Structure formats: structure tokens, C-alpha cells
Amino acid sequence: MHTERLGNNEQDLQRAAELLRRGEAVAFPTETVYGLGANALDAAAVDKIFKAKGRPSDNPLIVHIAHREQLNQLVAEIPPIGNQLMDRFWPGPLTIVMSRRAGVPDGVTAGLSTVGLRMPDHPVAIALLEKAGVPVAAPSANRSGRPSPTTASHVLEDLAGKIAAVVDGGATGVGVESTVVDVTVDPPMILRPGGVTREMLQKAIGKVQVDPSLERQGGGSDLDPLLADHDRAHGIQDFVPRSPGMKYTHYAPKAEMWIVQGDVDEQMGVIQSLVDKSRAEGIKTGVLTTDENRNAYRADAILSCGTRGNLETVAAGLFAALREFDQTEVACIYAESFPEQGIGAAIMNRLRKAAGDRIIG
Ligand code: TXA
Ligand code: MG
């Protein structure tokens, strides 16, 4: 299949909308990452998303809408707190999980009784959704397991020849995916940290809980990495994530990645000595760092994902940096870590997944 590369002018958006209405899969920008969209009410179209991505069928998709009236087709019941969250955070990087209507294809929800919904805050996404006139199911537009795409070129790296088109709207802003919050439970539960932080949610609606499996993923310094390795080796799954997608390998660069914890000076010292050690063994080694520290290392590839002075820049640059390591020869990457407040929680969640929970310190 030839993948059309479309711009964000009126004519190209009409073309993309027509492809969506015809049941094709089309990638498009949102404020978080690029999504791979298909008509959410067309089971055959939705199936094309899973095929192109190589996505496991038990991982449900987020449905994107341009207008709240579209919820009537999709959601059985909107709890008051759902409305409060939409008032406050839509359009924006918040996916709200609610009970589904029967008409939503099983492929979208992976057979769950719930459906995740979001109204993206991106002019190209909204224009496309409006022109298509249908709700659009869209996971991130990467091959399953790869870092999410933040540019149209990233999408083509992974999906050229497998999808009908990509709409190029430039680099995305937030850079990590939406926060997923389940409002079918009380208090609402964060299933995936993202662009809307826990602190912002608490301020808006009071109490929120966090899926315990997220805390478990290396969240606390009290977590014994050997124990975690043991659990993994034995397939122990006491903490099965409630967001099905969170259990899969994600965002992984080709090199083996390790996250180094501790205060920043400590991290830097540990990273340099680990790099020296692995290079002495003949292993090409990279460092994932920040603008402040990039000149302090000696390694085979040193990539900054943003500035510590503003963690939003780190979120925006993280996935591109992970992809860039694949253009280098490194077989091993040591990564700095970040405080888990605000957007830092989403950054560390994605880093831990990219590292397959390999954590030092
Ligand atoms: O920012 C985003 O959310 C991007 C853009 C394209 O909108 N989309 C995205 O989709 O990240 P995806 O498929 O890569 O991640 C969707 C996440 C998965 O972890 C999935 O398991 C979870 O949302 N999810 C979707 N529907 C759910 C549901 N009904 N219950 C629980 N988790 C759900
Ligand atoms: Mg994804």
C-alpha cells in the first residue's frame, strides 16, 4: 500500500477525512503524540489499526471526538465527575474511561464494558474529526513496542506502506500521551499518567487514586529490583495493570537501557562510571541526559531530551531522543531520572517502560 503524505491545508484534510469515512487508517497529529485513526464505529476499519501496528487485540483504543454530543453514540452513562473533568480539561490530554454503549465495536474496547474518550487540543486533529464526522479510534501511531511518534517522519519510519495516509502537522507539543482516568470507580483512578498531572486532577475534583500497578513499576525507592526481576522471571502478576496497554513492552529503543536514580550529581557520577566500565568491555554506550549535563559526559552517543529547568521540554523531547538512539551504534544506554512530581510522573513512567524496569540506585 502506498502511504500518502498529506499536509494540513483544507484540501489535504478533506482527503484524509474521506479516507477515514471510507474505512481506511490515517495517522494525524494531536497535542500529545501522533495517533493512527480509523472510524470507531466501523469494526473492519478498526481492525486495520491493529494490523498496521502489530498491536495485541486485548489492548483497547481511545476514541477521539470533536464535540461532546458525540458521546451519546458511545457512552452509556456519564457520571457527574466525568462532566466536571470534561469541563475543566477538554479539549486536552485527558482520556476519560466510562461505561460504553453496545454499538461500540468490541475491537475498540477489547471487549471491556468501558470505553476511553478524549477530545484532542490540536487544530489539525479537530479539523479532521469535524470533516470526518465520525468518532475516531486512535492509538499512538507507532509499531507496537516502539516509542510513540511525535513527528510525521516518526510515523513513516514505523508505518510507511501499512497505512493509507499520514497528515503532517509538525512536531507535537506535549510529547507524552494523555492521562487515562477511569471514572467508573470512586474515587476516579489514574490508569496511565500523562499530560494532565495527578496534581491538576486533585485540584479539580479532589480525591483521585492511582492504579497500584503504576506505583509498583519501580515507583518507590523501597522497591527491590531483584524482587521485581524475580517476579517477572516467574510471571508473577499480582499487580496486573487495569489499563491493559500498560502491561506490554513499550517505547523501547533497540539498545538495552538502564535508568539511574539518586540526586543529580550522584546520578552523573554513577552513569559515567558505568559508561566507562561498559566501554572498557568494548560495548558502545550512550547517555540519555539533559541540556544542563550533556557536556559533562564522555560516551559514544550523548543525547539530551530537554532541560531540567522545565520538565515539559523533557516530555516533549523524550520519544524523539529514544528513537534517535536507534540511529547510533550504541548497545547500551544509561539514562538520568527525574523527580516524579507533575509531568515528571509521566516522564518516569515512560522511561521505566522503555528500560523494561532496569533501574539502578
Ligand atoms: O495521547 C494519547 O492518548 C494518544 C493520542 C493519539 O490520543 N493515544 C494513545 O493511545 O496513547 P494508545 O492506544 O497508545 O494508549 C491507550 C491507552 C492504553 O494503555 C489502553 O490500554 C488504555 O489507554 N485504554 C483505552 N481504553 C481503555 C479502557 N476502556 N479501559 C482501560 N484502559 C483503556
Ligand atoms: Mg501507544
Side-chain angles (χ1 to χ4, degrees), residues 21-307:
R21 279 195 305 270
R22 263 201 229 156
E24 294 298 334
V26 173
F28 62 97
T30 78
E31 80 280 30
T32 57
V33 300
Y34 274 72
L36 178 59
N39 180 352
L41 300 174
D42 176 344
V46 167
D47 201 42
K48 290 182 184 169
I49 294 176
F50 285 88
K51 289 222 169 69
K53 282 186 57 103
R55 181 180 177 101
S57 60
D58 66 347
N59 192 1
L61 308 178
I62 294 168
V63 179
H64 296 65
I65 56 172
H67 300 286
R68 271 159 80 163
E69 300 79 75
Q70 291 177 288
L71 291 173
N72 301 334
Q73 295 170 277
L74 302 160
V75 174
E77 192 203 335
I78 305 178
I81 217 146
N83 278 318
Q84 257 173 276
L85 287 172
M86 291 179 223
D87 290 342
R88 172 68 185 78
F89 295 108
W90 279 10
L94 182 70
T95 294
I96 306 176
V97 172
M98 293 182 273
S99 55
R100 68 183 272 202
R101 285 193 64 146
V104 182
D106 275 339
V108 171
T109 64
L112 297 176
S113 60
T114 54
V115 57
L117 291 133
R118 112 173 173 89
M119 187 185 290
D121 185 16
H122 193 292
V124 175
I126 292 294
L128 179 62
L129 289 169
E130 275 178 349
K131 287 182 202 305
V134 292
V136 170
S140 49
N142 49 281
R143 285 283 297 171
S144 235
R146 300 262 299 140
S148 299
T150 54
T151 65
S153 297
H154 293 163
V155 174
L156 290 169
E157 258 169 44
D158 283 14
L159 299 176
K162 296 191 165 74
I163 60 176
V166 55
V167 178
D168 189 346
T172 60
V174 178
V176 292
E177 302 88 340
S178 63
T179 304
V180 179
V181 63
D182 182 352
V183 298
T184 67
V185 294
D186 183 27
M189 184 186 281
I190 296 175
L191 306 183
R192 177 176 74 177
V196 170
T197 66
R198 177 184 187 167
E199 293 83 348
M200 288 159 74
L201 288 171
Q202 277 165 339
K203 207 166 156 217
I205 56 168
K207 209 165 163 30
V208 293
Q209 47 180 337
V210 178
D211 181 349
S213 76
L214 295 177
E215 314 261 289
R216 164 87 167 166
Q217 286 161 10
S221 49
D222 56 342
L223 196 139
D224 179 353
L226 291 178
L227 186 63
D229 279 337
H230 165 273
D231 283 6
R232 258 196 308 280
H234 293 81
I236 294 173
Q237 297 199 328
D238 319 341
F239 289 81
V240 177
R242 285 166 179 75
S243 177
M246 298 303 280
K247 72 176 179 280
Y248 292 107
T249 312
H250 263 88
Y251 317 120
K254 287 169 188 145
E256 186 170 291
M257 188 163 111
W258 295 82
I259 301 169
V260 176
Q261 300 193 135
D263 64 44
V264 180
D265 288 342
E266 204 182 320
Q267 287 179 36
M268 292 173 71
V270 170
I271 289 175
Q272 188 60 57
S273 63
L274 289 166
V275 171
D276 292 344
K277 192 158 163 259
S278 81
R279 289 175 94 195
E281 290 166 18
I283 300 165
K284 288 219 188 309
T285 305
V287 177
L288 179 59
T289 179
T290 45
D291 295 348
E292 288 84 348
N293 305 339
R294 66 180 311 156
N295 293 324
Y297 294 104
R298 297 170 312 272
D300 297 297
I302 299 164
L303 297 179
S304 170
C305 50
T307 160

